[in-house]
Amino acid sequence: YWGAASRQVIGPTGAVSDMIVFLAPGAGADPERSDVPDYGPGGCSLWNASGASAVYIAGGVAGIGSNAFTNLSALKRVVFQDASGLSCIGERAFYNDDNAVFTDEAGGAGAPLDLSGVTELGSYAFYNCSKLTGVTLGGNITAVETTEGSAVERTENKIPDYAFSSTGLTEIRLP
C-alpha cells in the first residue's frame, strides 16, 4: 500500500507545492515480505514526477527495491518507523538523494539509522546521501552487486561497493 498527501503553501515568494509519500503494508499483505519493488535504472517515474519532499516508510515494510528512490532531488526527509525491520535494501535504492535527512523513529532523535536487520544490501544503496550521518549494521550482510554484463553477484559477509560512498557518515556501528 502507498498513499500520498499533497499541500500547497503560499508564501512571500509565491506558491510552493509539496508531496509526501507514505508506504505501509496493505490489508492482507504478507507480513514476512512486504517490499517496495525494484524499478529500472532511472528510478520510479511516479516518485520522480511527484516531487515528493518526504517519504515515510511504516513498520512492516521489509525491503526497499533497487532504484526505488533514485535521484529524487526534491526529497528532504526519509523517515522509517522502524528501520531495523528491513531485511533488504536494493542497489541504488536511495542513490544520489543528497538532500535527504534519514531518520529512524524507533531509535529516537539523532540516533544512527538502524539497519541491523538488513541481510542483503545493494551496491550504491546510499551513494551520495550526504546527510546520512550514522548507521548500525548487523553481522550477516550479503552484498548484492551487478557486474559488467549485468550479472548479479552475491557475496556473503561483505558491505557492497560504494554502498555508503559520498555520504556524511561519521558513525558506523558494527556488532
Side-chain angles (χ1 to χ4, degrees), residues 58-115:
V61 173
I64 308 294
S66 294
N67 301 300
F69 300 105
T70 293
N71 290 319
L72 297 181
S73 59
L75 191 61
K76 304 286 186 247
R77 292 184 319 262
V78 177
V79 180
F80 295 90
Q81 185 176 20
D82 183 2
S84 70
L86 292 170
S87 61
C88 66
I89 300 174
E91 292 182 281
R92 293 177 166 81
F94 295 99
Y95 179 87
N96 206 30
D97 292 335
D98 61 330
N99 294 315
V101 173
F102 292 80
T103 306
D104 187 350
E105 288 182 338
L113 190 61
D114 185 354
L115 303 177

Side-chain angles (χ1 to χ4, degrees), residues 8-156:
Q8 189 172 44
V9 178
I10 299 176
T13 59
V16 176
S17 295
D18 190 11
M19 174 79 66
I20 300 171
V21 177
F22 300 91
L23 300 165
D30 180 352
E32 299 296 316
R33 203 76 211 158
S34 296
D35 295 344
V36 176
D38 291 336
Y39 293 95
C44 175
S45 60
L46 176 66
W47 311 142
N48 290 335
S50 76
S53 68
V55 173
Y56 181 83
I57 301 170
V61 173
I64 308 294
S66 294
N67 301 300
F69 300 105
T70 293
N71 290 319
L72 297 181
S73 59
L75 191 61
K76 304 286 186 247
R77 292 184 319 262
V78 177
V79 180
F80 295 90
Q81 185 176 20
D82 183 2
S84 70
L86 292 170
S87 61
C88 66
I89 300 174
E91 292 182 281
R92 293 177 166 81
F94 295 99
Y95 179 87
N96 206 30
D97 292 335
D98 61 330
N99 294 315
V101 173
F102 292 80
T103 306
D104 187 350
E105 288 182 338
L113 190 61
D114 185 354
L115 303 177
S116 61
V118 172
T119 57
E120 286 192 356
L121 184 61
S123 59
Y124 296 92
F126 293 95
Y127 180 85
N128 200 31
C129 292
S130 58
K131 294 189 170 108
L132 177 64
T133 58
V135 296
T136 299
L137 300 174
N140 188 23
I141 294 177
T142 297
V144 180
E145 302 167 302
T146 301
T147 62
E148 287 187 41
S150 299
V152 175
E153 201 172 271
R154 287 180 158 67
T155 309
E156 293 182 9

